[in-house]
Amino acid sequence: MIATLQRWPGLITAGSRVLTTAAVIVLIGALPWLSGADPARTILRARSAEQEATPEALEAIRTQLGLDAGPVTMFGRWLAGLLRGDAGLSWVSGRPVLPGMLTALGVSLTLMVFAALVALVVAGLMCIPTIRRGLAGKDARTSGMGAVALTALPEFLLATALLVVVAVGLGWLPPYGWEGLQYAILPALAMGLPAGGLMGRLLADGLATTFAEPWVVTWQVAGYSSAAIVLAAVRRTVPSITSQLALTLVGLLGGAVAVERVFAIPGLGRATLGAAVAQDLPTLQVGILLLMVIALLLGGAGALARRWLLGPALAAGQLPASAPRTASGRTAWIVPGVMTALLIGLVIAGISRDPYASTLPRLAPPSAAAPLGADASGRDLLARVSHGVVTTVTAALVVVFVCLLIGLVVGLVPRIGAGPIEVTNAMPPVIAGLLVAAVAGGSLVGAAIAVALTCWAPLAAHTAALAEETRGQPHVRIAPVLGVGAASVLLSYVLPAVLGPVTRHAMLRLPGIALAIAGLGFLGLGPQPPQPEWGLILGEGMPYVERAPWAVLAPTLALIALSVLAVSAANLAPRGRAGQPSG
């Protein structure tokens, strides 16, 4: 058996994907029973909020749906029906599940394509400064503040702003619904701009490393045109982030819940979330299964694209190595220093104020008494944002560290980790939050656990891609022949090559992680009001963004400052994709 697996390593990857998908579906099937609450009561409330939950009504639902049989028997029945092409009936509406969910999938796939186009355009624009510096023979690294700012923009805030300004204020595009391609423009911008910032930063980081490889100078001396060098650099860089691009597309599909809700789009994310809240088990299981299938298809396509782009160089162990970069000069400390001073100044200015007292007029504008204004409850926004620094920053940093650790460990065993990486990335944090809340209740710790369970996957995929490239370089490939053990190769070559880029990637995801924690709190699955947490403050101010923009401006700027600090500080580290220890 072991010899067969070694001969056919694809079996390990395929088995990993199948087992992970099955485990997630089984876990989802137990959701109504995990909370200890009566699932019949939840279903009754979802069917009719006005109907009284009498013992007779609850017993009728249990009998109708067979809830007394328990989760194992019910899952077996659902699986048997699915194998026959019957996904069952919705527990809430009573209609067949599969046709409606396939229609919702088509809507989400269309929206994903539009958002991906926006993201690719934004990413390309973000890489122009890096390409110019690389062709000029300079250190191609840039601050990437534009990409960071885009990544830190909450999708639901961007969606609401586009809805208010472009659709309602200017009347250029329809505000909600899904009746034609023009309905996809604003949602695609809301999803594609933050995704483009993330993709642009990853691609720019990879291009900066590529331009440090010796072949670039050789090509320039040989008289190759700038266009040819740029195309070759892109081809050299893209394989290391192909997995990230695939995971970003999956994230656009599964993580579009907030945008679909703002624009009332009947997509898969919105339908799956509604099923999870109502504990409509057949609908929820089909929604998650469709997300898993799309994730596995895109993950497999990304792996094939990497193999094709790297060509025979990977198999022959002839991938080029970049020269290690030294740490940045003193000027590189300016941006992180300024951001640190701003956050410290924010804490000092507001830590002595009461974040809970409603002593100001509702939605009072900024003034001497309240420099950042007041929220809808008349609470001082400066006090709330200042006190939220500890809560938000600490929780987000802990989750980033945990995700980085898991990503490095799983990414170094890519064949076994392929399934968990792709399936986990397709799981919206909201669904994970519902599962965690069902067991432990809504809290900041529960929200952090739920986000950590879903946000490590892109880091693991990045680690796997970089580790494979490092092992394909000549000086690493020959190391075992010279008597270097596997552990020494890992510690001396592979780990130093992946640690810097993956750490910077983790820091780039810091604002998204902070927002994911906050989003769970807004849904009652994480930090609870009136806790002064940035995302919660942002969510509370969203209904008033048109008449009181300061209600959302303060926490948004704080999140951007935190993002810029994290990424600019990570850029101070030495780098190299060479498989050589940086230093």
Side-chain angles (χ1 to χ4, degrees):
M1 180 65 178
I2 296 177
T4 301
L5 292 177
Q6 291 175 342
R7 182 178 301 179
W8 302 98
L11 291 176
I12 301 177
T13 302
S16 169
R17 289 167 173 161
V18 171
L19 290 176
T20 305
T21 302
V24 171
I25 297 298
V26 170
L27 184 61
I28 292 296
L31 177 62
W33 289 269
L34 289 175
S35 61
D38 187 356
R41 186 179 298 273
T42 304
I43 296 166
L44 178 65
R45 190 179 301 113
R47 288 179 175 180
S48 175
E50 300 178 356
Q51 184 176 353
E52 185 179 355
T54 62
E56 294 78 11
L58 296 177
E59 184 59 33
I61 290 177
R62 295 190 194 98
T63 302
Q64 176 190 5
L65 302 178
L67 296 176
D68 292 335
V72 176
T73 301
M74 294 197 66
F75 176 77
R77 294 173 181 171
W78 175 81
L79 182 60
L82 185 65
L83 294 176
R84 299 192 304 269
D86 179 14
L89 303 177
S90 168
W91 286 1
V92 176
S93 67
R95 293 192 294 266
V97 169
L98 195 57
M101 295 302 284
L102 289 176
T103 300
L105 175 62
V107 172
S108 291
L109 287 174
T110 303
L111 182 57
M112 181 192 76
V113 170
F114 275 86
L117 292 175
V118 173
L120 289 174
V121 171
V122 172
L125 294 175
M126 292 290 175
C127 292
I128 292 177
T130 300
I131 292 173
R132 287 179 174 175
R133 293 178 63 87
L135 291 175
K138 302 177 181 178
D139 184 350
R141 285 183 292 178
T142 60
S143 63
M145 294 302 103
V148 175
L150 283 178
T151 306
L153 284 176
E155 289 181 352
F156 59 86
L157 174 61
L158 190 55
T160 302
L162 291 171
L163 176 67
V164 171
V165 175
V166 179
V168 178
L170 300 175
W172 289 351
L173 291 168
Y176 56 84
W178 190 263
E179 299 178 11
L181 294 181
Q182 70 271 23
Y183 287 81
I185 296 176
L186 293 182
L189 288 173
M191 296 166 56
L193 289 176
L198 174 62
M199 292 168 56
R201 186 58 189 163
L202 290 172
L203 184 56
D205 189 65
L207 282 171
T209 303
T210 296
F211 277 112
E213 294 176 347
W215 67 266
V216 176
V217 176
T218 303
W219 280 37
Q220 289 176 328
V221 172
Y224 281 84
S225 66
S226 296
I229 295 174
V230 170
L231 289 176
V234 171
R235 182 184 175 92
R236 170 72 181 97
T237 301
V238 166
S240 64
I241 63 169
T242 300
S243 299
Q244 298 304 307
L245 298 180
L247 293 181
T248 300
L249 293 178
V250 175
L252 288 174
L253 180 64
V257 176
V259 175
E260 290 180 355
R261 290 184 65 184
V262 169
F263 291 102
I265 297 174
L268 184 63
R270 184 182 177 203
T272 303
L273 175 61
V277 173
Q279 294 192 9
D280 186 354
L281 198 56
T283 305
L284 176 60
Q285 287 177 311
V286 171
I288 295 296
L289 181 61
L290 291 175
L291 288 173
M292 302 297 107
V293 170
I294 297 298
L296 296 177
L297 290 176
L298 289 175
L304 291 176
R306 284 192 72 249
R307 293 286 179 175
W308 177 76
L309 288 169
L310 288 176
L314 180 63
Q318 295 298 320
L319 286 177
S322 59
R325 295 296 185 94
T326 56
S328 304
R330 294 180 180 179
T331 57
W333 291 88
I334 294 177
V335 172
V338 170
M339 293 300 107
T340 301
L342 285 175
L343 291 174
I344 293 176
L346 181 64
V347 173
I348 294 174
I351 199 66
S352 61
R353 296 168 175 258
D354 189 345
Y356 301 104
S358 300
T359 57
L360 299 170
R362 293 183 69 252
L363 300 174
S367 62
L372 299 182
D375 64 9
S377 299
R379 296 172 297 199
D380 185 358
L381 280 173
L382 175 59
R384 292 185 63 73
V385 174
S386 175
H387 283 259
V389 170
V390 176
T391 303
T392 303
V393 175
T394 301
L397 285 176
V398 169
V399 172
V400 165
F401 176 77
V402 171
C403 290
L404 176 61
L405 185 61
I406 297 175
L408 288 171
V409 172
V410 177
L412 292 175
V413 285
R415 297 194 183 280
I416 297 176
I421 290 171
E422 295 163 1
V423 169
T424 299
N425 188 74
M427 175 75 73
V430 172
I431 305 300
L434 286 168
L435 290 171
V436 174
V439 177
S443 66
L444 177 60
V445 174
I449 293 173
V451 173
L453 288 174
T454 59
C455 290
W456 59 266
L459 302 178
H462 198 183
T463 300
L466 293 177
E468 184 180 25
E469 290 189 33
T470 301
R471 291 188 174 104
Q473 293 167 358
H475 64 285
V476 180
R477 181 66 67 88
I478 201 173
V481 179
L482 300 177
V484 180
S488 296
V489 170
L490 178 66
L491 296 176
S492 300
Y493 296 99
V494 178
L495 205 53
V498 306
L499 188 58
V502 176
T503 299
R504 286 189 293 276
H505 182 181
M507 291 298 101
L508 188 60
R509 291 190 175 271
L510 181 63
I513 286 174
L515 287 171
I517 295 173
L520 293 178
F522 184 65
L523 293 172
L525 304 173
Q528 302 295 306
Q531 189 171 354
E533 196 272 335
W534 286 353
L536 207 54
I537 299 169
L538 185 59
E540 291 170 346
M542 285 297 299
Y544 314 99
V545 64
E546 186 174 5
R547 53 185 287 205
W550 54 86
V552 299
L553 188 60
T556 299
L557 292 179
L559 280 167
I560 291 176
L562 174 62
S563 307
V564 172
L565 170 61
V567 177
S568 59
N571 281 337
L572 297 174
R575 69 179 62 198
R577 187 176 49 211
Q580 304 170 6
S582 298

